[in-house]
Amino acid sequence: MAHSDGIGTRRDNSLGGAGLRAGVAGNAGRDASVPEGATGRQLLDVSNLSTRFQTPHGVVTAVDGVSFSLAAGGSLGIVGESGSGKSQTLFSIMGLLPFNAEIQGSVRFEGRELIDLAPVALNKLRGERLAMVFQDPMTALNPYLTVERQLSEVLQYHRGLSRRQARAEALLALQRVHMPESARQLDRYPHQLSGGMRQRVVIAMAMIGSPALLLADEPTTALDVTIQADILDLLAEQREAGTAIVLVTHDLGVVARLCDRVMVMYAGRVVEEGWTREVFSHPRHPYTVGLLAAIPRLDDDLCNPRKPIDGQPPDLLALPEGCAFAPRCFCVREICRRKSPKLLEHDRDGAVACYRENPEALPS
Amino acid sequence: MTRDTSWRRLARNPMAMGGVVVLTLIVLLALFGSGLSVHAIDDVFWDRISAPPDVEAGFYFGTDANGRDLFVRTVLGARVSLLVGLAASLISLVIGVAYGAVAGFWGGHVDSVMMRIVDILYSLPFVFFVILLTVYVGRSLSTIFITIGAVIWLDMARIVRGQTLALKQREFVEAARAFGATNRRILVSHIIPNLLGPVIISMLLVIPDAILTESFLSFLGLGVQEPNTSWGVLIGEGAQSMTEAPWMLLFPGAFLAVTLLAFNFFGDGLRDALDPKE
């Protein structure tokens, strides 16, 4: 792969609960542990990112000390169950959080800190350098605007193009996403398009400013299986053209197809990270093992269906002490229920947060 | 491009076009209709008090309790009523929509303060408010516009605010934000176009409300002064002598009803034409 040295999780950050509380107050902790030169080469550098929501029932920590980095042109898949914090990680990067959210840590994009960036500067980056593809193309498009208007809106935010220029650009953008009969679609409304075509429009909107980084929040979940493959090919094409991609999904097949690296999240934390091939062939965290075992296969024995992971995802308002996965884990130890394991590097260029894999992390 | 197709859709809607034709006729009648009458608005015929319609003598709609021709009074009364209705709907369109959209979109403290102001204006006793205005502005037609204008947009502001609160949660607003849209841009390009349906409906509901409020104000002695008149005034007078002279209620009432119906047909057609899903 061309992106061989593209992505790496920084393993020097403590991801344990105690470590997080000590280190999130600003960038001080990060700067001490990461040499400035190392971060300069990365396109996106997320460090100790925590996102909390004030709810009437208490504080929910949706993202808990997540760190990763991505080089230009790299691709990273974030997987996990619903509520694992994978989508909120993306929204935190984009600065699209509701008012009751509190964000801590650091998100550096092209060398600039995005957290606490002034809205004007952030609006300049969004859509130009940094773009997002949404989960449901049925709702991500304004029902009152034609396809042309949807696309030229994005151009008008950033460049003062004339109507005619904007239309020409919009047509080009549609052609780049292989929209059938592109010229005819310009004057149509979203409800006149199929789901796959709408998602092409959303991707065209995201790509129209040639961003350096594309964040995709479950871009194929709302689509038919046959359309999914087309959309994945389209995203792969953007990646080949040099756009870095962060893809959030719960579909491991999508990650296998599109991403060099994969990050598994559980209850807001990263539990495993590594090269996609390595993680899928040798999963180390019991949760990753469970996720992979739950995928149905063609040669499944129909009399012995696959076992899903026992239990329910944890209640973020009442996280267990220690490892959040401990109540569902098939190899849980006594220590797991008391102390959360740190995310530690292993010899295959990945990292895992589990005492089974990292016995040296056990407190003596 | 899209505007063209909207107009085409409107032109193809027979109900809406019927509404446009009727409204045009009524406006033309209001402007030039007095020429069709052989009598003037203040001609008093002592021998024809509360007389039924008599086409040969030129009293097409009969006469009122003072012996004046009802036809010319209905036609001229349309001027004030149409003007009041139009002004009221424009005020609620411009002020109500802008106010409600801003409050709903910004939310938080801005919303609280803005909506409390609306609540205060709502709870002001209307008659007291009118008397106060009369003292300061004096009795004239403009008092009517100011009075109606001050309160008529409140409903619209509330409706628009509620809709905006719901709309700003929609994913396409978030998407626009993710593509770098500023707040102003989101409001203008994404929120307001999606408000059109409820806005057009409440704009139409405001018209009869304003026309009837005007008649109430005229009854209090504000606004239209004799011998000038309005539909609201004529209907009020007609209602008093409904049993002995039903034509006095029938003709101005029918004009008001037909006008409102035409406005509604037109408004429905307009809403459908602007909604791409129709």
Side-chain angles (χ1 to χ4, degrees), chain A residues 8-11 13-17 46-49 62-69 76-80 84-86 89 261-274 279 285 287-288 323-325 340-344 350-354 358:
Chain A
T9 309
R10 257 194 329 278
R11 287 135 212 141
N13 277 305
S14 157
L15 291 174
V46 176
S47 159
N48 246 329
L49 181 72
V63 180
D64 194 352
V66 167
S67 300
F68 65 89
S69 52
L76 169 72
I78 305 179
V79 296
S84 60
K86 50 196 195 317
T89 304
R261 300 280 293 194
V262 61
M263 193 165 97
V264 183
M265 287 185 72
Y266 189 79
R269 293 183 191 166
V270 179
V271 294
E272 182 162 5
E273 194 271 343
V279 172
H285 196 282
Y287 178 58
T288 319
C323 178
F325 189 62
S340 197
K342 291 176 179 175
L343 185 66
L344 290 178
V352 62
C354 182
N358 303 317

Side-chain angles (χ1 to χ4, degrees), chain A residues 139 142 144 153 156 158 191, chain B residues 171 179 185 189-190 194 276:
Chain A
T139 57
N142 186 337
Y144 275 84
E153 276 284 308
Q156 283 163 10
H158 301 292
H191 71 275
Chain B
E171 207 173 22
F179 291 127
R185 191 88 208 186
S189 298
H190 296 286
N194 279 280

Side-chain angles (χ1 to χ4, degrees), chain A residues 233-253:
Chain A
D233 286 344
L234 190 57
L235 288 174
E237 222 178 283
Q238 312 306 319
R239 192 196 57 189
E240 299 309 325
T243 304
I245 292 181
V246 177
L247 178 80
V248 159
T249 179
H250 53 243
D251 186 342
L252 296 170

Side-chain angles (χ1 to χ4, degrees), chain B residues 88-130:
Chain B
S89 54
L90 277 180
I91 287 170
S92 55
L93 180 71
V94 175
I95 301 182
V97 171
Y99 197 92
V102 166
F105 188 66
W106 260 269
H109 292 304
V110 176
D111 180 35
S112 302
V113 171
M114 288 177 82
M115 291 329 281
R116 286 309 77 73
I117 293 173
V118 168
D119 289 346
I120 290 169
L121 283 173
Y122 242 119
S123 54
L124 275 184
F126 187 63
V127 176
F128 173 74
F129 182 64
V130 170

Side-chain angles (χ1 to χ4, degrees), chain B residues 77-162:
Chain B
R79 291 185 183 177
V80 172
S81 291
L82 288 177
L83 212 58
V84 165
L86 204 70
S89 54
L90 277 180
I91 287 170
S92 55
L93 180 71
V94 175
I95 301 182
V97 171
Y99 197 92
V102 166
F105 188 66
W106 260 269
H109 292 304
V110 176
D111 180 35
S112 302
V113 171
M114 288 177 82
M115 291 329 281
R116 286 309 77 73
I117 293 173
V118 168
D119 289 346
I120 290 169
L121 283 173
Y122 242 119
S123 54
L124 275 184
F126 187 63
V127 176
F128 173 74
F129 182 64
V130 170
I131 292 167
L132 211 71
L133 257 174
T134 326
V135 171
Y136 285 104
V137 187
R139 295 171 167 206
S140 70
L141 204 59
S142 56
T143 321
I144 288 199
F145 289 111
I146 295 172
T147 325
I148 293 177
V151 292
I152 205 82
W153 58 273
L154 299 176
D155 280 316
M156 179 72 97
R158 283 189 167 171
I159 291 166
V160 167
R161 172 200 173 247

